[in-house]
Amino acid sequence: MLSLIYSAAINGIDANIVEVETYISSGMPIFSIVGLADVAVKESRDRVAAALKNSGFDFPAKKIIVNLAPADIKKEGGIFDLPIALGILAANGKIKKDNLKKFCAVGELSLDGKIRRVKGVFPISLILKKNQIENFIVPFANRQEASATGKTNVFPFKNLIEGVKFINGEINYNPYAQDKNNLICLPECEYDFIDVKGQKNAKRACELAAAGGHNMLMSGPPGSGKTMIAKRIPSILPPMTFDEAVETTKIWSAAGHAFNGGLISNRTFRSPHHTSSTAALAGGGVCPKPGEVSLSHNGVLFLDEFAEFRRDALEVLRQPLEDRVITVSRAKNSFTFPASFMLVAAMNPCPCGNLGHREKECVCNPNQIRKYQNKVSGPLMDRIDIHIEVPALKFSELSSLTSVAENSSNIRERVIKAREIQTLRFADTKIHSNAQMQSKEVKKYCVLDDKAYDMLKAAIDKLNFSARSYDKILKVSRTIADLDSSDNIKAGHIAEAIHYRFFDRLI
């Protein structure tokens, strides 16, 4: 007897439909799984056999061959347990075979027949409609993730017995429907800029970075508030669009990260430790999975102790900072992951951290300072739009009870208005913010008046900025002008943008 049911395999962040063919014939009792299956898939034999027996079904003592087609796509994980079990039951006459062809099923089985959560359900649900598959059987724990697209009939089950009875028509079960109001929740951030005392220059830089999607590097002594400021940047970012929420959810689902609700709607904030490897940042593995640069897509990647990261790990950031994607290559295949993130980095000015401190003396010699700062390469520094110094706070700033800092809500309103201007400006392109402009757009939209042109020319000649730094200054000044609701870039805008090239001015 032969049966067929559909399932899916995750490759990178995309899904591919897999046909699970099960053939049972007389002969020596053998259970064989073919079709480029990894060790975890082949171990399904024992899990499926135990789950069927413990669910009250007979396990046929015959020759069983399970083919996962197409054979050239790598299959991994326990995602195929449920379709294999259903295929065996159908080939053994316990399920109506014609009914089975209407479904795509995913799920890992426990030995007692319970269906466990699996990763990658969201990207699978995105491709079912394209393949004319309307019914999706998933673990109960994946129900919200599977139904977020609203394009398929989702049937979540807690155990194998429920699924079999439903397919045979013994019980009626309506498709799971998630409340549309819960698909996208309003972004929430537990931090607020009202808690940050002083540091007006740094907060202004954060507003510019959020308004234009610019990368930012903060340098200052320990305790000056760099990490505190960085954690509050998501509170002033504009809300995610539906397409951005879908993209982010797809990445997190493929990476196997659990999340509540249908779509990830708040902008992610990732803060990997400085001991993180290249693969942890870029993504990797035998079958590459998204790394930190992709998990922070449409959000913030915060690298604290920037100069303490491994040199090769930092150099991985070059491609995504420039191209907004990252490509991970392996011998048999290569995968391209989205990586349009806002980089926020923080570092000390020297090994002891006290260089430029108002009260504490730096004990580092010039060679140590130069060696420490050179851990971040020039090409990588060029790709960061905003460099700012975050000085140590004075006692009067810390103890002041009269000055009240601006809250995140007010800053966010200005950021949203600036982003609306950019949305109209780039309406017919794939660009979403000023930071993403290429040379063609910079030439078209970064128009300088005479005073601004003369100021920029003098700065370039005196400070010897690179060509990339020149573009960064124009992009940041465009954002400053947007916050001022100015069509043209003026001298004051250029002056402020040059001020945010702190490390270039040190050279």
Side-chain angles (χ1 to χ4, degrees), residues 237 240 243-245 247-248 267-268 296-300 339-341:
L237 290 173
M240 292 178 73
D243 290 340
E244 287 177 331
E247 288 176 352
T248 305
R267 296 193 181 272
T268 56
S296 53
H297 181 63
N298 293 322
V300 176
S340 181
F341 58 88

Side-chain angles (χ1 to χ4, degrees), residues 266-279:
N266 55 318
R267 296 193 181 272
T268 56
F269 181 87
R270 303 292 296 180
S271 180
H273 194 261
H274 64 263
T275 57
S276 298
S277 65
T278 302

Side-chain angles (χ1 to χ4, degrees), residues 47-174:
R47 292 194 296 271
V48 169
L52 288 173
K53 291 178 181 178
N54 290 321
S55 298
F57 300 105
D58 294 329
F59 186 78
K62 297 181 180 181
K63 184 178 181 179
I64 304 173
I65 300 176
V66 176
N67 179 38
L68 306 177
D72 60 341
I73 296 177
K74 183 73 174 178
K75 324 296 189 309
E76 63 173 359
I79 194 171
F80 299 102
D81 288 4
L82 180 58
I84 289 174
L86 295 174
I88 290 174
L89 291 173
N92 199 32
K94 303 299 182 182
I95 293 178
K96 299 174 183 178
K97 293 192 295 181
D98 292 338
N99 292 352
L100 204 61
K101 295 179 181 179
K102 303 175 184 178
F103 294 93
C104 174
V106 296
E108 180 181 334
L109 291 175
S110 63
L111 299 185
D112 61 356
K114 292 179 182 177
I115 305 176
R116 291 174 171 162
R117 173 192 288 271
V118 293
K119 63 182 179 181
V121 168
F122 186 77
I124 294 172
S125 66
L126 289 173
I127 66 163
L128 292 184
K129 194 70 174 179
K130 297 178 182 178
N131 290 271
Q132 298 180 341
I133 301 173
E134 297 182 352
N135 302 313
F136 193 17
I137 296 177
V138 299
F140 190 79
N142 290 111
R143 65 194 185 282
Q144 292 181 317
E145 183 182 346
S147 63
T149 60
K151 297 179 180 179
T152 56
N153 300 322
V154 176
F155 300 98
F157 297 106
K158 295 181 179 179
N159 56 62
L160 180 60
I161 297 175
E162 290 180 355
V164 172
K165 288 183 176 179
F166 167 72
I167 295 173
N168 281 333
E170 297 175 17
I171 59 173
N172 293 322
Y173 198 96
N174 294 324

